[in-house]
Amino acid sequence: MAASDRLILMDTTGEVPEAKLLQFFMQYVDQPFQNWWASQKQAGTKRGGFRPLQAGAPAPAKALKKPEPTIVEPVENARPVTCPRCAGQISWNLDLGLEGVCPYCGLFLKLTPGEEGGK
């Protein structure tokens, strides 16, 4: 058996001596892998791989997609709510509780009792 941290070569027949397995591992697995990995790291930096963020460089802003109106059936116990993050208009069904998630941007919302049209 020859082993590294994550790879184990084993002769299940018991015919190959451990020294020969280790020699095979070092010649055909370890060194070619190290060469391949070095070329991958070098190719990654050439193609714009991961780089540290430059200090002071602001991240580019992404435009928010305007919420599309959702057609829902009228509910007797519904209140209009506006999401504070994306300004999406939500018809909040109080029968389902006072906590939920904005269907447009995923912000967790908690409606306070007696609040209408707010967060």
Side-chain angles (χ1 to χ4, degrees):
M1 173 171 36
S4 72
D5 291 342
R6 296 184 181 161
L7 178 68
I8 297 176
L9 294 178
M10 183 180 294
D11 175 29
T12 58
T13 64
E15 295 176 13
V16 182
E18 186 175 334
K20 291 291 184 183
L21 281 173
L22 185 56
Q23 179 185 0
F24 175 85
F25 176 80
M26 298 299 287
Q27 184 176 356
Y28 295 105
V29 178
D30 186 48
Q31 190 57 48
F33 171 78
Q34 296 301 332
N35 294 341
W36 172 81
W37 183 240
S39 70
Q40 292 297 307
K41 290 194 299 189
Q42 187 177 16
T45 57
K46 285 182 183 176
R47 289 187 224 139
F50 294 108
R51 296 172 302 178
L53 186 63
Q54 299 295 326
K62 293 182 180 179
L64 285 177
K65 181 179 161 186
K66 186 174 181 177
E68 298 176 11
T70 305
I71 299 172
V72 293
E73 294 182 26
V75 178
E76 186 177 313
N77 204 10
R79 298 291 181 264
V81 176
T82 302
C83 176
R85 179 192 285 166
C86 69
Q89 299 295 313
I90 305 165
S91 181
W92 196 292
N93 185 351
L94 294 175
D95 294 334
L96 299 177
L98 298 176
E99 296 178 350
V101 177
C102 174
Y104 304 109
C105 69
L107 178 69
F108 177 77
L109 300 170
K110 184 174 182 178
L111 191 67
T112 56
E115 187 175 0
E116 292 183 22
K119 178 174 126 185

